[in-house]
Amino acid sequence: MTAPSYSADYLRSLADPEAFWAEQAQSLHWDKPWDRVLEDSKAPLYRWFTGAEFNTCYNALDRHVLAGRGDASALIYDSPVTGTQQLFTYRQLLDRVAAVAGMLLAHGVKHGDRVVIYLPMVPECAIAMLACARIGAVHSVVFGGFAAPELAKRIDAALPVLILTASCGIEPGRIVEYKPLLDQALQLATHPVGACIVLQRPQCAASLQAGRDHDWREAEAAATPAACARIRSTDPLYLLYTSGTTGKPKGVVRDHGSNAVALLYSMRAVYDVGVGDVFWAASDCGWVVGHSYIVYGPLLAGCTTIFYEGKPVGTPDAGAFWRVISEYRVKSFFTAPTAFRAIKKEDPRGELLARYDLSCLKTLYLAGERCDPDTVLWAQAMLKVPVVDHWWQTELGWPAIANCIGIEAFPVKPGSATLPVPGYDIQVLDNDGQRVAAGEIGNLVIKLPLPPGTLATLWNDEAGYLENYLARYPGYYLAGDAAIVDDDGYFWVMSRIDDIINVAGHRLSTGSMEEILAAHPDVAECAVIGVADALKGQLPVGLVVLKSGVTREHADIVRELIESVRASIGAVAAFKQAIVVPRLPKTRSGKVLRATMRAIADGRSFAVPATIDDPVILDEIAQLLKGSAA
Ligand code: COA
Ligand code: AMP
C-alpha cells in the first residue's frame, strides 16, 4: 500500500470532488442514499448529498453503541470552576440525549422548529444540541457572554418555539445569572416564546415564571425517550450567528449530511484522531469550534471529547490545560493563540508543565485569530510537538488551510497556516480578480463549489449570502481576509479586509459598537478601531466626537459608553477604552480614516492619505491615544 499523500488527496478532491466526497461519506450511516453528490443546478448556490436522509445524532451516538462501543468514553465534563468531573459513556450520553429529545417533543418542538440554546459549558449544552439533531429541530446556540440585546436579536431571527437555558454560568470570581438576561431578552424580542426550560445549578437558583418556564430535571425525568427521526440530509442542523460588517449578525446555516462528512474527514486528515482517541478543543459551544470540535466532530469520529468549563489561567493556575491533557490522555489539543499568550504571560518558563506527564499529546492546533510566530515558537519549545496554526471561519465550519498531519506532515513555518486542506481551492486575487504573484498580498478567495460542511446559506437571507460572499468575484467565495501565498505555496493570512476585529479569538463587528456609541445623547459621531493587544490580539478602542455644547465631564461620558457596550453586546466585547477627540480624520469625501487611526494606535508607520481633509487632526489623535494608553 502506498503511503498517504497530501498532494494525491488534494488533487483528487479538486479534480473529482463528487467521487472524493462520496468515498468519505461511506463511513457514515445513511437512512436513504443520495440522488446526487453535488447539486449544481442553482450555481453559485450548491448543495451536497441531495435526496439523501441522514440523522446526525444517530451517527454521533447510536451508530457507536450499536457497534458495541456503548461503554467507551464519549464525553468528559471537567469543570474547575465548580470542582466537578463527570464521565459519560456513549450509552449514557445516548440515554440522556434521547430523554431530552423526548422532552423537546413533549413541549411541542417539531421537525424544522428552532430551539435557542443559551447555556454555559455544562454537558446539557451538548445534550441539547444532539437532542435537537435527533428529532430534526434546528438549534441556535447563543454564547453565554452575550448580553440580553444580542440574545434578543438571535431570538427574533430564529423565531424559536422553545429556549433552553440554565440558572447561571460561572466566570472566575463571579456568578453570571442567565435567567434575568433571558427574561430581559424576551421582553426586548418581538417574537413570543412559548416555553423556556431552565437547568437549575447549585450555585444559583433561577425564579421560574409559572406557565412559561419549566424545571429541566423535572421535564427530562417526565419525558419518554425519543427515537431518531428521518431527516433530509440537506435539512438545517443548526444556525450560528457571527459578526458581519454591520451590527446585524449573520446566521450561518449548516445542514446534516454534508456537515458530518466534512467533520469526520477533518478529524482524521487534519486532527489525526480516530475511534478511541481523546480529542480536546478548549472553546465554548457558543462558537463554531464548539459545534464542530467539542460536539459533532469528535463524536462522529468515535473519540472521547473533553467538555471544559474553565479558563487557561486562573482556574486555578496556568497549568490548567496541562492537567487536563495529562489526566485524560489527550492526543490532539485545539485552542486559540490568545489562551497560549495568557499562559506564556503567567508561566513564561513553563515551570507548571514539569508537573505533568504530557507524553500523550501529539499535536497542538491553534486557530481563531492570526497566530504570532513568537507564540508558535514558545508552544513548540514548551510542548515539543508540532504546532498546527490553521485557518477557517464560522461560515466554513471546518479547516480550510492547515498542516494536514493526519495525511502528511509538512514543515511548520511560524505565522503561516500552511497549505489548503483537500476540498478547498484557495487563491489570492487582486482587486481586478487576477492571481497575485508569490509574496504579494491580496484577497483570500475560495473557488466554488465550496466543499461539504460549509455554509448552505444565511438564515432567511439568501440575498445577503450572494451579495456579501459570492458577488465580489463571480465563481469564488470571498473570505474577508487578506493573505499572501509564498513560493512554497504556504498561505499567510494577515488581517481582515472589513471592520471585523478579533478579540481573544472572538470575532466582533466594530460597526455594531459604533451603533451603540452613536446612540449616546452626547455623541455627535464616532469610530471604533481594533488596536493591537499583546494578550488578546486586538482590543476595541472608541473615538468619539461630542455634540457642541456638551459640558459634562468626559470621564463620565466615557464610563457610560463603556457600560452601554457591555450592556448591549456583552462583557465579551472587552470594550474598555474610549477617548473624546475634537474631530475624526476623514477623506474629503467624508470617509473616516479608520486604517490610519489603527496604524497610529499601533505605533506603525503610515502614509498620510492625500485626500485627507484636515491632516492636523492625526497628530492630535496620536497625542490623545498616547495619553489614554499611558
Ligand atoms: N459568560 C459570561 N461572561 C463571559 C463568558 C461567558 N461564557 N466568557 C467570557 N465572559 C466575560 C469575562 O468574564 C470577561 O468579563 P470581565 O470584563 O468582567 O472581566 C469578559 O467576558 C472578557 O472575557 P475573556 O475574553 O474570556 O477575557 P479574560 O480577560 O477574562 O480572559 C483569556 C483572557 C485569554 C484567558 C480568555 O480570553 C480566553 O480564555 N481566551 C480563549 C478564548 C477562546 O477559546 N476562543 C476561541 C474561540 S474559537
Ligand atoms: P470566526 O468566524 O469567529 O472563526 O473568525 C474567523 C476569522 O478569524 C477569519 O476570517 C480570520 O480573520 C480569523 N482567523 C481564524 N483563524 C485564523 C488563523 N489561523 N490565522 C489568521 N486568521 C485567522
Side-chain angles (χ1 to χ4, degrees):
M1 212 172 104
T2 51
S5 134
Y6 162 78
S7 57
D9 256 31
Y10 183 68
L11 293 174
R12 203 161 78 81
S13 75
L14 299 192
D16 192 355
E18 296 197 62
F20 182 84
W21 289 111
E23 195 179 297
Q24 309 309 323
Q26 298 302 335
S27 317
L28 293 159
H29 172 84
W30 298 81
D31 290 321
K32 177 172 174 280
W34 49 86
D35 299 327
R36 295 197 62 180
V37 180
L38 177 65
E39 171 60 57
D40 57 2
S41 60
K42 293 197 180 126
L45 300 170
Y46 296 85
R47 298 308 302 265
W48 291 91
F49 305 109
T50 52
E53 287 181 3
F54 183 92
N55 187 302
T56 301
C57 179
Y58 180 90
N59 276 279
L61 299 176
D62 304 60
R63 186 169 57 97
H64 302 302
V65 174
L66 291 169
R69 297 194 65 249
D71 293 330
S73 303
L75 183 148
I76 295 169
Y77 169 51
D78 184 291
S79 169
V81 293
T82 59
T84 314
Q85 291 176 310
Q86 192 182 1
L87 166 74
F88 293 81
T89 64
Y90 270 91
R91 183 173 291 107
Q92 287 166 335
L93 193 58
L94 172 56
D95 287 348
R96 287 287 311 271
V97 168
V100 170
M103 172 179 98
L104 298 180
L105 291 174
H107 282 82
V109 178
K110 296 186 298 298
H111 189 150
D113 283 346
R114 273 80 56 209
V115 173
V116 163
I117 299 176
Y118 185 57
L119 282 169
M121 279 296 286
V122 288
E124 280 74 10
C125 191
I127 290 168
M129 291 162 73
L130 289 156
C132 289
R134 192 168 186 82
I135 60 167
V138 183
H139 59 73
S140 173
V141 181
V142 181
F143 176 61
F146 281 126
E150 287 293 315
L151 176 57
K153 279 187 201 169
R154 286 154 177 78
I155 291 171
D156 277 339
L159 309 179
V161 294
L162 178 74
I163 298 185
L164 298 170
T165 192
S167 55
C168 64
I170 297 146
E171 283 296 290
R174 77 189 158 102
I175 302 277
V176 181
E177 289 193 41
Y178 277 39
K179 190 58 189 354
L181 292 170
L182 174 60
D183 289 340
Q184 196 192 335
L186 287 171
Q187 273 185 345
L188 291 170
T190 51
H191 171 69
V193 177
C196 301
I197 299 185
V198 184
L199 181 75
Q200 298 282 15
R201 303 188 76 186
Q203 294 75 16
C204 146
S207 59
L208 304 185
Q209 185 181 309
R212 188 196 71 186
D213 301 341
H214 308 270
D215 178 88
W216 184 307
R217 287 194 184 80
E218 287 171 13
E220 185 180 333
T224 308
C228 288
R230 301 221 21 162
I231 295 166
R232 278 192 303 263
S233 170
T234 47
D235 280 348
L237 166 66
Y238 69 76
L239 316 180
L240 181 59
Y241 282 85
T242 187
S243 302
T245 48
T246 64
K248 187 173 160 243
K250 298 170 174 170
V252 165
V253 180
R254 193 101 54 219
D255 70 11
H256 275 258
S258 88
N259 177 56
V261 171
L263 293 183
L264 186 59
Y265 175 72
S266 68
M267 292 307 290
R268 174 175 68 75
V270 179
Y271 299 109
D272 193 27
V273 287
V275 172
D277 287 329
V278 183
F279 179 83
W280 180 24
S283 181
D284 188 288
C285 281
W287 309 119
V288 70
V289 177
H291 285 61
S292 295
Y293 296 113
I294 297 176
V295 181
Y296 292 117
L299 296 175
L300 286 163
C303 297
T304 305
T305 185
I306 311 277
F307 212 88
Y308 177 70
E309 188 183 26
K311 301 271 174 177
V313 294
T315 59
D317 58 27
F321 280 1
W322 322 141
R323 173 187 67 76
V324 174
I325 292 169
S326 73
E327 203 165 320
Y328 306 117
R329 311 311 293 158
V330 173
K331 180 180 174 193
S332 293
F333 173 50
F334 177 174
T335 189
T338 187
F340 259 74
R341 289 195 295 268
I343 296 169
K344 182 168 74 165
K345 192 167 159 219
E346 299 231 336
D347 183 18
R349 285 188 296 277
E351 280 156 10
L352 293 165
L353 262 168
R355 294 191 194 162
Y356 301 96
D357 168 13
L358 298 187
S359 56
C360 52
L361 184 70
K362 299 295 174 233
T363 317
L364 167 69
Y365 295 85
L366 298 174
E369 58 177 309
R370 175 169 164 70
C371 187
D372 52 294
D374 277 358
T375 300
V376 173
L377 294 170
W378 185 80
Q380 250 170 3
M382 291 296 137
L383 296 171
K384 300 182 178 55
V385 297
V387 177
V388 174
D389 170 7
H390 57 320
W391 175 89
W392 50 297
Q393 343 174 269
T394 306
E395 291 86 340
L396 301 176
W398 64 288
I401 306 176
N403 198 347
C404 290
I405 297 277
I407 313 175
E408 182 184 356
F410 284 84
V412 170
K413 292 194 194 184
S416 165
T418 318
L419 298 167
V421 173
Y424 288 99
D425 184 352
I426 305 196
Q427 302 178 13
V428 179
L429 304 183
D430 65 17
N431 285 337
D432 300 325
Q434 301 301 313
R435 282 178 114 146
V436 300
E440 278 179 24
I441 196 155
N443 290 325
L444 194 158
V445 299
I446 309 173
K447 193 163 187 296
L448 299 176
L450 295 176
T454 52
L455 79 170
T457 185
L458 293 181
W459 181 248
N460 282 340
D461 190 16
E462 194 124 277
Y465 176 43
L466 290 165
E467 185 190 323
N468 289 302
Y469 296 93
L470 306 182
R472 175 72 182 80
Y473 297 104
Y476 294 87
Y477 165 92
L478 180 73
D481 281 307
I484 294 169
V485 195
D486 70 14
D487 288 327
D488 299 324
Y490 277 50
F491 281 77
W492 302 71
V493 183
M494 307 308 291
S495 59
R496 292 290 303 187
I497 56 172
D498 51 23
D499 73 352
I500 289 172
I501 58 171
N502 202 309
V503 179
H506 309 316
R507 173 170 155 180
L508 299 163
S509 154
T510 52
S512 67
M513 295 184 212
E514 287 177 3
E515 281 174 21
I516 295 162
L517 302 190
H520 188 286
D522 294 338
V523 171
E525 61 175 341
C526 64
V528 174
I529 55 172
V531 303
D533 179 74
L535 176 64
K536 296 196 176 185
Q538 283 184 299
L539 277 178
V541 172
L543 296 109
V544 294
V545 180
L546 300 183
K547 288 180 181 159
S548 59
V550 171
T551 52
R552 298 179 58 213
E553 287 289 329
H554 289 181
D556 290 337
I557 297 172
V558 163
R559 202 185 50 252
E560 288 162 12
L561 294 172
I562 290 171
E563 276 165 13
S564 56
V565 173
R566 193 176 171 98
S568 298
I569 299 181
V572 72
F575 182 84
K576 298 200 169 159
Q577 203 188 346
I579 55 173
V580 175
V581 295
R583 300 173 299 287
L584 290 174
K586 292 184 186 169
T587 60
R588 278 184 220 107
S589 60
K591 198 166 173 293
V592 176
L593 293 165
R594 290 183 177 76
T596 311
M597 288 192 286
R598 264 202 314 272
I600 295 174
D602 293 350
R604 286 183 278 120
S605 60
F606 62 92
V608 176
T611 54
I612 191 166
D613 64 346
D614 168 16
V616 178
I617 187 63
L618 292 180
D619 289 333
E620 288 181 46
I621 287 186
Q623 292 307 322
L624 286 165
L625 280 166
K626 213 188 266 168
S628 94

